[in-house]
Structure formats: structure tokens, C-alpha cells
Amino acid sequence: MSSVTIRDVAKKAGVGVGTVSRVLNDRNAVSEATRQKVLAAIDALEYTPNLAARRLSRGKMMAIGVIVPYFTNPSVVRRLQGVVSVVTGSGYDLVLFDIEKVEQRADFVRNIPRRQLVDGLLIVSLNPTDEDVEELLQANLPTVLVDANHPELSRVRVDNVFGGYQATRHLLDLGHRRIGYISDFLNDPFNSPVRDRLQGYQQALTEAGIAFCSDYHQQGVHSRQQARLMALDMLQLPDPPTAVFAYSDTQAVGVLEAARELGRRVPQDLSIIGFDNIEAAEYLHLTTVQQGLYDSGAKGCQLLLTEMLDPPASATEILLPTRIVMRQTTAVYDNTTRQV
Amino acid sequence: MSSVTIRDVAKKAGVGVGTVSRVLNDRNAVSEATRQKVLAAIDALEYTPNLAARRLSRGKMMAIGVIVPYFTNPSVVRRLQGVVSVVTGSGYDLVLFDIEKVEQRADFVRNIPRRQLVDGLLIVSLNPTDEDVEELLQANLPTVLVDANHPELSRVRVDNVFGGYQATRHLLDLGHRRIGYISDFLNDPFNSPVRDRLQGYQQALTEAGIAFCSDYHQQGVHSRQQARLMALDMLQLPDPPTAVFAYSDTQAVGVLEAARELGRRVPQDLSIIGFDNIEAAEYLHLTTVQQGLYDSGAKGCQLLLTEMLDPPASATEILLPTRIVMRQTTAVYDNTTRQV
DNA sequence: TGCCCAATTGGAACCGGTTCCAATTAAGCA
DNA sequence: TGCTTAATTGGAACCGGTTCCAATTGGGCA
């Protein structure tokens, strides 16, 4: 509750407030003797600058905002961890906004710049609309997208078309011909990776001379449970897929559960590949497409800090690589040992 | 970059700044006609109050801080989710501090109250020292602990002694007599649950007339990998335990891996029980002691908001229940079917 | 009609920093 | 020694709100 102000310090040290401020901010136009006097006074009074006042007069909030959707999603949490690692020690504070409902999104994106709450903004796994971007640019608020895309904003992401291609190609290379894709809803305007990966999936199929079969694609809300239900359906088709590509590891786990329920052995009877390489993937021995979740957050945050210092002329794009992590849920398609 | 201020609005509306402020803050001492004029001016100028200025003059930051250690820990993340759910929509912003190194802790706890950055503080899974508490109380900063303990601070937690007792008792009830405990380091001053659960474990053993055997307790840094190594050791003792109680689900997964590596069937040859009931526990079919992770965050945050409004005379404690969630990693001890 | 009180309203002072400008001091040089 | 210039320093003005106090207005009542 110490409301000792800079004026108290100035009085105690027998100097002017400007001098104290200069000492606090390391402006070097202060003689060593004076500096020592001021530091002594600060120490004696246990003075700490009031942040709100500093922010007001500097016009900077010394905070960066992070907008995160569906905080329950492990891949989002992992990206956030990357962000946190960079923010901690940058001198900025991290203000977290969670979006659980679609309506909240517009509110946040609109209000954050207006409220002048933060000096920079990180938007994770959420595609902004053109109007959002307009608003952001007009407010002159440095913004970086992580795992999201818009031509006018700087961004860190992966090539999801290629990722989907890689996953599908991996299964094709193992000899699979009937390959399912279990995904989030395709028509979610804020989630473009789901469409990109489908595109990669279709590209790989086409390349292999296989026609896309709509029975082999199911979409639903993003959850293990829902993925399980969709997989249960798909695996009970008259001519079920021998391999499934799941949009996320979370969903792949649902597929794994469905397979177990139906008595299909993985990988002998069914190959499963996920996407993300979340921590659970490792101990479930799930083959997956790895993307640098943590890195995307860290890199995005670094990029933001850089751009806050000197605003770039145009948006930069950092593309992180994806790669297959082979574990034990995919195997060569071999009709002779199959039980189904 | 609209720097339209309250004075612009006042001029435009032809009223005084005080009146505009009153309209903004819903003080009802404003006539309807004036209110309309002001609102029209606000609309026309697209005015939004400057947060920093408001914070400075009100002396409130409208933000709550959350200190979180080891953000990588799934149980911590889950608690944080609970916190986020309550903060969102409370009108407060959430400022997140991550502590990865022990040295950081003191810095944070010391500096946060001083910097007057937040109006309330939530400390998750980190026991404050007496000095920390002294500092906090002196700064008059409302603080609530989540999954941590100190008699002078309000807190939301579980009875870890009882939780440890429950877990061990469950194994004893299944007929096990050689029961291991795999845990974090006991001497970590900031982690008391690890000692509490050990106490419960020992209590249950004593009650069953079983002497505590130090070979059956291993401690190490909190990670799946380390738990795996410790389990590997313990399971290769001449007279290995038939059941293991792991301090956390994360560590239980490590034990699960060790068992698999050694060819021990779970639960036929080895029973494993974890603690927390994190999401992964469900799809790994891990028997565990459930504690309301999400709830603890939500309740803690609610408590904090309440106490920020009217400071309580003394600290409150909310004890959340724990209960066994039986899944498929524990079974009756039956020597006849054992392979080891 | 005149007086009193309550409801509104205007605006100065304040919150606690930063910054800029003018003033003072000291150093450098002829 | 006198003058120029650079280095320090003090402190008023400012950032953009809120709040309090004094002033104005209008209604109710005798």
C-alpha cells in the first residue's frame, strides 16, 4: 500500500523529479554522484514506480495480448506455452483472452485495439475476417497470427496442404488404397487448416490414381468423443477404409478407441495417422505429422516483438516445416495377416 | 490511433468533462436529455476511454494476475482453464506469469504486488513462503491459493493426505501388500502435496499392519521419463511391488511404459494408480484419484473476485473432494495368474 | 410571488509518471 | 581570464481519465 511517489523520492534525494525519472529509465544524462543519491533514496523509501502512471504518460501498455480459441485443445495449449516462454523475460506482460464461443471472437478483435490495452496482439489458431484485419490495421496495432492465415498480417504457420499430402502419402506408400479422413467441420470460416489438409489428402489420392470417396470423409466438432463416433461409423461401412488420417492427434485418439471397440488391431488391421504430435501422441505410440506447436508460439511472439519495435512495410510469413513421425499405429497393408 | 479524449466528447456534446465521465460510469445523476447528447457525441467521435488513464485515476488495474509454475504440467493447465473460464466475462483481464525456475518465484511474488499491476492474485500449485505471504499481506493484495497451502491465505485445495490414503487403501483392498510410491522430490519446499500424499500412503500401510519399505519409494523430477526410469528400477528389485501408486497421472504413464518394457501385464501382473485424472487418464484407462482440477481454478477465481470486493476478516479454505476413478490399470492381487 | 432544497452540471484538482525546455554548472580552449 | 559549448539538472506541462466541490437550475410549497 506504499504510495510513495516519484516526488517523495525527489524530495528525499534533494533533486528534481525529472532527475529521478532519468535514473529510473537509464537515461545516461545523470552524473554518477546524483544517480547514487537517487538510488539511495529509492532504496530507503522502498519506492516502486506506479505502472498505470507510467503507462499513461508513456502511452505504452507494456503488455501483449494473446487471443486463444478453445483453450481446452492440447495443441493450442502447447502453442501458448511457446508464447509464454518468450514473453517471460521480455519485459512485457501477457494478457490472455480465451474464446469459447463464436460470438466472442468479433467482440474481442474489435474491442482489444480500441481499449488500448496491449501494445501488440497474437492471434492463435483463429483466422481473422477481412473486417477484423481492417480494424486491426486501422488501429495500428501490431499483430501476428500463429497457425492462422491472412495475406495482410504477419504470420507463423505450416503448409497444411502439404501436411495433409504427407500424411496421405505415407499411408499410400504403405500400400493402403482405402483411406479415410476424419476432420473438423469444413465450413468453419475460422479454421482453414481443416480444408487445406483435405486438399492435400485429395491431391495425394489423385496422384495415386484413386478417386475421392465421400464415404471416407467424415466431419464433426473437434473432440475425441465425436471422432470416435465418426470412426465407428466409417469402420462399419461395407467396404471400410484400411487406414485413417485424423485431422488432429486428439481425434486420432478417438479413432484408436473406436478401433479397439470394434476389435480391429492397430496397425495390423487398421493404420491410423494423426496430426500435431502432441505429447499424448508419444506415449500412445501414435504415428503423426509433427508440426512445431511450441515453436510456432515462440517464433510468433518473437516476430511480434520485433515488429513492435520497427513496423515492417509488409507482412512476413514464416512457414514451419512438417514431418512424419513414425510410431506404431501405421503399418504396411498386408491382406494375408488381416483379421477383417 | 484515435486519440479522441473525454474533453473532445465534452466539447462536442456541449457539456463538462465530469458529465461525460458520469455517463460513462452509469452514475445516475445525469438527466436523460444530457445523457442522450453525450452518447450521441461518443458515437459520432467513436470515442473509447483510455484504459491506462482510467486505471491511474481509479487506482484499480481491472486485472487479476495468475502465477503458474511449470506451465508444461497438464494438471496445471487444466486448473488454468478453470480460472480462464471465470475471468472471461468478469470484466477483469487475466495477466499470466509463468515460473519455470525456482529463482523466478521470489522475484514474481515480490514484484507483482509492488508494481501494482493487478488487483488480485491467484497462485497455482506453488506454496508461498512466510516471507512471500508477509509481503502480500503488507501490500494488501487480495490473494487466493489454488492447490497450495498457507494458513494466512484463502485457498482452494484438496486433502492430499486423504487422497494418498485413498489411493493406497484402494490397492490394499485389492489384496496388494507390496505397494510402491513414485513421486516428485520430497524436499521441494514449494510442493507440499508430495509429502502429504506420502503421509496418507504411510498411514494406510500402517493401518494395514504393513511396514514402510524405503525401497518402495522413489523420488525424482516430475516427468514421465523420470518416472519411467524410477519404475524400471523399482520393478526390477528382487522382491518388486505388485502395485504402484504414482504421485501424478503423468508419472503413472511413465510407470505404464516401464511395465510394458519389462513385459509386465497391467493390471494382471502390476496394478497402477495415478492422481489427478487428467484427460489422458481417460483414454489410457488409468485408474486414478480424481481431483477437480478445473473446478479448483474456477472456484479459486470466484473466491478471489469475492474477496476483492469485500476483504474477509480471515482466510477461507475450500476443500474439494477426491475420489477414486476405477478404470483398467488396477486389479485384485491374484498370485495364480501372475507371470512374474 | 418568494424561499428552500434537491437534482444536475461544470470544471479544477488530482492520480503518478515522462518529457521537454530553460537554467545552471562545469569543462575546454584561445 | 573570458567566452563557447556540452553536460546536468529542475520543474512545469502533459497523458486522459475520475472525483469532489461549488454553482446553477428547477420544482414544491407556504
Side-chain angles (χ1 to χ4, degrees), chain B residues 139-200:
Chain B
N140 205 19
L141 181 69
T143 304
V144 169
L145 305 178
V146 171
D147 181 42
N149 200 1
H150 193 285
E152 294 185 61
L153 292 179
S154 288
R155 53 206 181 269
V156 176
R157 52 182 212 99
V158 300
D159 183 341
N160 283 293
V161 176
F162 182 66
Y165 174 85
Q166 271 180 307
T168 314
R169 185 61 198 270
H170 171 68
L171 298 172
L172 288 166
D173 288 349
L174 290 170
H176 293 278
R177 285 294 170 273
R178 299 200 307 278
I179 299 175
Y181 177 45
I182 288 210
S183 79
D184 288 15
F185 285 118
L186 285 179
N187 62 4
D188 179 345
F190 307 112
N191 177 357
S192 58
V194 67
R195 291 183 289 279
D196 294 342
R197 291 181 203 165
L198 174 66
Q199 192 186 325

Side-chain angles (χ1 to χ4, degrees), chain A residues 297-312:
Chain A
K299 290 243 171 67
C301 193
Q302 270 152 5
L303 182 58
L304 178 63
L305 290 170
T306 309
E307 300 201 343
M308 279 163 59
L309 283 184
D310 66 320

Side-chain angles (χ1 to χ4, degrees), chain A residues 73-76 78 248-250 253 275-283 286 288-289 291 293 327, chain B residues 283:
Chain A
N73 186 331
S75 66
V76 169
R78 189 77 187 130
S248 74
D249 287 346
T250 300
V253 175
F275 206 110
D276 285 344
N277 198 22
I278 62 176
E279 189 169 359
E282 188 185 340
Y283 49 78
L286 180 68
T288 191
V289 178
Q291 65 167 321
L293 296 172
R327 297 209 181 90
Chain B
Y283 51 78

Side-chain angles (χ1 to χ4, degrees), chain A residues 316-327:
Chain A
T316 17
E317 172 168 64
I318 298 183
L319 265 192
L320 262 29
T322 52
R323 65 181 181 82
I324 300 283
V325 177
M326 260 184 288
R327 297 209 181 90

